[in-house]
């Protein structure tokens, strides 16, 4: 499914990179998004943070950009002939190797891989089933990964690779619970399918009477499902993004993506691998489409959306706004290089 798109602590410091009318405060002294000039007008919903210096973004018009100098310069490494595709997810193993997913019905859903920093690409999958619509992908390690399609014949479809995305096969659906009427995943940030460890992955759903999260412990062969306390009951509502810092502790964010619509209860937390979810006591005040844990922290995480960004200092129980810039997705690298990307070519790195 294509997504159309409390008070500060005593340590608060003003974020200065946005216009004065958009300035907010953050409970983490000195933290804020620092905009980078991507030179593009594409909307980037796919993002892979490799480090503070290297990141990949993927978006509209078949666009893939890469930086290796912290965002000072961006190289257009888009696959040749991909101008008609919509890239919504990208996973990078390092500065040279990446896998990118194009979404859409039928043959619009495709996967490409590069091993030379985008100088050349190999199309490793093209969907031939008009009923399938692929939304997100994730990798457990450098070889094993899965991709997610909206339900086909009443069940989500899983694509699997064991060679780093060079080839793919559809997994049997007998281990997948039935989908709800109208249920689908939101291709809003590349985070409707996420993984942690070598075998666990989770799916975020919406568009149905109940928002849900599905969990696999065997790389997509079998799945369990549980309800999530996020807005539901409408095609525009649900869980839009998940983030797990380990196999047990997860965050869910979402809401109603339509501008101006309220999104109460737009975040939840889990401490048992997604078996149960608890609504955040103080969630973000609006729809959020992306989330990421800060590396090496048990409590700090970020959430982003078209109307702003939020920070949690307590593992997702309470959220604090710190920026009003528009971002669709966020990702953090092990060296604390956190990046965000969104509409009109917006790309930023978290500064301290």
């Amino acid at each position: 499914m294509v997504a159309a798109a409390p008070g500060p602590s005593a340590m608060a410091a003003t974020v200065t990179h946005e216009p004065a009318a958009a300035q907010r405060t953050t409970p983490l002294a000195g933290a804020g998004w620092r905009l980078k000039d991507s030179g593009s007008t594409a909307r980037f919903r796919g993002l892979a943070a490799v480090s503070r210096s290297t990141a990949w973004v993927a978006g509209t018009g078949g666009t893939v950009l890469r930086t290796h100098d912290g965002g000072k310069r961006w190289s257009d490494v888009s696959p040749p002939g991909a101008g008609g595709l919509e890239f919504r997810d990208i996973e990078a193993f390092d500065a040279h190797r990446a896998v990118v997913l194009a979404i859409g019905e039928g043959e619009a859903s495709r996967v490409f891989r590069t091993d030379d920093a985008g100088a050349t690409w190999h199309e490793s999958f093209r969907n031939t089933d008009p009923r399938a619509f692929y939304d997100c992908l994730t990798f457990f390690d450098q070889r094993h990964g899965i991709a997610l399609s909206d339900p086909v014949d009443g069940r989500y479809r899983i694509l699997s690779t064991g060679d780093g995305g060079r080839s793919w096969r559809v997994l049997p659906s007998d281990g997948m619970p039935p989908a709800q009427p109208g249920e689908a995943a939101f291709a809003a940030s590349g985070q409707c399918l996420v993984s942690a460890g070598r075998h666990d992955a989770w799916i975020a759903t919406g568009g149905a009477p109940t928002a849900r999260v599905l969990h696999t412990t065997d790389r997509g062969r079998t799945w369990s499902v549980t309800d999530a306390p996020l807005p539901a009951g409408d095609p525009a509502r649900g869980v839009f993004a998940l983030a797990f810092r380990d196999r047990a502790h997860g965050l869910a964010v979402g809401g109603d993506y339509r501008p101006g619509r309220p999104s109460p209860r737009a975040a939840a937390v889990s401490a048992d691998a997604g078996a149960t979810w608890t609504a955040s006591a103080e969630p973000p005040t609006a729809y959020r489409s992306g989330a990421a844990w800060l590396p090496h922290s048990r409590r700090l995480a970020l959430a982003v959306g078209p109307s702003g960004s939020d920070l949690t200092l307590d593992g997702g129980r309470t959220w604090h706004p710190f920026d009003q810039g528009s971002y669709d997705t966020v990702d953090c690298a092990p060296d604390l290089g956190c990046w965000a990307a969104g509409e009109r070519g917006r790309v930023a790195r978290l500064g301290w």
Side-chain angles (χ1 to χ4, degrees), residues 24 107 119 157 200:
R24 304 297 292 267
E107 293 192 359
R157 175 170 289 181
D200 289 75

XYZ file of all heavy atoms in Angstrom, residues 24 107 119 157 200:
44
model
N 12.454 24.534 17.499
C 11.930 23.866 18.673
C 13.064 23.587 19.638
O 14.218 23.935 19.358
C 11.251 22.542 18.274
C 10.154 22.697 17.252
C 9.004 23.544 17.762
N 8.289 22.889 18.822
C 7.211 22.133 18.650
N 6.748 21.931 17.446
N 6.599 21.564 19.674
N 4.754 -5.698 -12.481
C 6.170 -5.567 -12.789
C 6.798 -4.290 -12.256
O 8.020 -4.114 -12.346
C 6.388 -5.674 -14.296
C 6.085 -7.053 -14.850
C 6.573 -7.229 -16.274
O 7.130 -6.252 -16.840
O 6.411 -8.332 -16.821
N 27.878 2.012 -9.539
C 28.370 2.182 -10.911
C 27.601 1.270 -11.862
O 27.307 1.649 -13.006
C 29.862 1.894 -10.974
N 2.587 -11.978 1.334
C 3.527 -12.793 0.564
C 4.956 -12.389 0.936
O 5.279 -11.198 1.036
C 3.313 -12.605 -0.936
C 4.332 -13.324 -1.805
C 3.934 -13.311 -3.268
N 2.783 -14.195 -3.513
C 2.244 -14.388 -4.712
N 2.733 -13.756 -5.775
N 1.216 -15.208 -4.855
N 14.909 -13.101 13.315
C 13.657 -12.442 13.686
C 13.347 -11.256 12.781
O 14.227 -10.449 12.465
C 13.731 -11.949 15.125
C 13.696 -13.075 16.131
O 14.720 -13.775 16.278
O 12.640 -13.265 16.761
